[in-house]
Amino acid sequence: MTGFGQAVDAALEACVVPGFSRIGLAVRSRVLPEFTASEPPAVDGKVVIITGATSGIGYAAAVALARQGAAVHFLARDRARAERARRGIAAESGSTRISYGLADMEDLDAVRDFARQFRAGHDRLDVLIHNAGAIHPQFRTDAAGTELTVLGQVIAPFLLTRLLMPALLAAAPSRVITVSSGGMYTQRLDLATLQMPRSRYRGVTAYAKAKRAQVALSREWARRMAGTGIAFHALHPGWVNTPGVAAALPGFYRVTRPILLTPEQGAGTIVWLAAMPPERLGSGRFWHDRRPRPEYPLPWTRGHDPSGVRELWDHLAAATAAGAPKLAQAGLDSVAADHDISSRGQR
């Protein structure tokens, strides 16, 4: 990067509002080599799973990846919406390799069924993209008492990654990409408060806490799976004009609407991370506008990381063990020994 580009990028990062908006993307796309260097797409023939691809950022990412030659399989809750999305993605991308499976990310049995069906029909998975997100305005739990934001944003993505690990290993070098949100910058990882009580529940805060956990877990997956050929990345897509933002943050939406990114622009770094050669990306990083970024611009949000995330990882590994593929059956026994992906964790 030139000195001028570095200075401009640093200024945008410090100013926050332009940095996360279409202003920042417009400037960076002209001065950063990650945008200006010509890179051929690297997803032709690859198999991609995207959660939350019936609209917004996920839909735009699915179109772009399919257009570049990937076989896109997405997860959706509703068959009618899924079928509409499949037809739309196919029409916009010109690809016939678009398929979907049905599951609610707040139903772990449905997630297990989705993974089982995918593994039955596919022997490899090159890219897994965790994009699905939902902000619940009221406190709601499943039958076991788990608040739905924690269930859908923390537990279910962890479970899905674990269940699809054999297919990711078979495709190595492969990657797992987690789409975060700006709210996580305001939160620290604290297991004691990750699930908010009914009396103090705020949907936006619960979502931000879950997104902080997602980013921390992505880094922990990268640490534990180092050397396996599976890379883990998390990213902030920027401030994007989506129905979810308009519904959950109406005040923010009214003020920032003129400078919000389009879903296609918000999907840009997702697609770039899916396509770039693995040696260019490393693993365990947090990205925005195609560059690694600090996870903790507010120092007090560091909290108990990294010990907290290791405890969370161990807890999730134990909680999701039922229905996960047996290590020996999945060909992961040596990986477990070398990289400790069991519930024992690393200390």
Side-chain angles (χ1 to χ4, degrees):
M1 183 190 297
T2 65
F4 174 74
Q6 178 75 42
V8 170
D9 182 56
L12 289 169
E13 184 82 1
C15 292
V16 181
V17 173
F20 290 127
S21 71
R22 65 171 59 187
I23 299 168
L25 179 61
V27 174
R28 287 181 174 124
S29 65
R30 287 167 173 78
V31 301
L32 296 187
E34 290 84 355
F35 290 91
T36 58
S38 176
E39 293 286 353
V43 296
D44 188 34
K46 292 189 175 182
V47 179
V48 178
I49 285 180
I50 308 178
T51 68
T54 57
S55 65
I57 298 172
Y59 181 93
V63 170
L65 290 167
R67 191 176 286 149
Q68 292 183 13
V72 175
H73 188 72
F74 64 91
L75 182 154
R77 291 182 296 177
D78 177 79
R79 185 177 298 277
R81 289 191 66 192
E83 187 55 35
R84 283 196 299 272
R86 186 197 64 78
R87 291 195 301 266
I89 295 166
E92 293 183 45
S93 67
S95 173
T96 58
R97 295 188 298 166
I98 313 297
S99 57
Y100 63 84
L102 297 175
D104 186 336
M105 289 293 282
E106 293 164 2
D107 180 344
L108 297 186
D109 287 338
V111 172
R112 291 185 177 96
D113 287 342
F114 171 86
R116 189 178 304 114
Q117 291 166 13
F118 178 84
R119 294 200 312 267
H122 301 79
D123 59 1
R124 60 181 289 134
L125 174 61
D126 297 276
V127 184
L128 171 60
I129 302 171
H130 293 299
N131 170 74
I135 297 177
H136 295 287
Q138 279 82 42
F139 181 88
R140 297 171 56 199
T141 70
D142 70 350
T146 303
E147 193 270 316
L148 294 188
T149 308
V150 175
L151 183 63
Q153 298 299 303
V154 181
I155 302 174
F158 183 94
L159 173 63
L160 186 59
T161 301
R162 185 172 188 174
L163 293 173
L164 295 175
M165 191 61 64
L168 288 163
L169 283 166
S174 53
R175 61 202 70 178
V176 179
I177 300 169
T178 299
V179 182
S180 187
S181 124
M184 77 100 185
Y185 289 124
T186 67
Q187 301 296 320
R188 68 176 186 174
L189 182 66
D190 184 350
L191 270 62
T193 62
L194 178 58
Q195 175 161 313
M196 301 183 70
R198 184 186 298 272
S199 61
R200 296 196 301 274
Y201 181 81
R202 289 185 66 247
V204 172
T205 303
Y207 188 72
K209 287 177 176 289
K211 288 298 182 181
R212 168 60 75 190
Q214 281 187 346
V215 172
L217 285 166
S218 177
R219 181 169 18 87
E220 183 66 5
W221 272 111
R223 186 182 74 87
R224 294 186 185 237
M225 298 302 290
T228 64
I230 306 175
F232 292 81
H233 305 284
L235 69 114
H236 183 350
W239 293 344
V240 183
N241 189 341
T242 65
V245 170
L249 300 167
F252 171 84
Y253 181 75
R254 283 193 301 272
V255 172
T256 61
R257 184 178 181 181
I259 59 171
L260 294 180
L261 299 161
T262 67
E264 290 74 21
Q265 290 170 326
T269 298
I270 301 172
V271 176
W272 185 81
L273 286 171
M276 288 297 291
E279 62 272 15
R280 290 280 304 275
L281 302 177
S283 185
R285 290 172 164 177
F286 180 73
W287 302 79
H288 172 239
D289 278 354
R290 302 188 181 187
R291 288 194 59 78
R293 305 290 179 180
E295 293 178 31
Y296 302 98
L298 302 175
W300 62 267
T301 60
R302 287 183 178 274
H304 300 296
D305 245 1
S307 60
V309 69
R310 297 181 187 182
E311 184 179 350
L312 175 61
W313 201 100
D314 291 344
H315 173 77
L316 293 174
T320 60
K326 299 298 184 183
L327 295 182
Q329 294 174 355
L332 297 177
D333 41 354
S334 61
V335 175
D338 294 340
H339 300 278
D340 194 12
I341 66 170
S342 72
S343 61
R344 294 193 304 275
Q346 293 184 354
R347 299 302 177 199

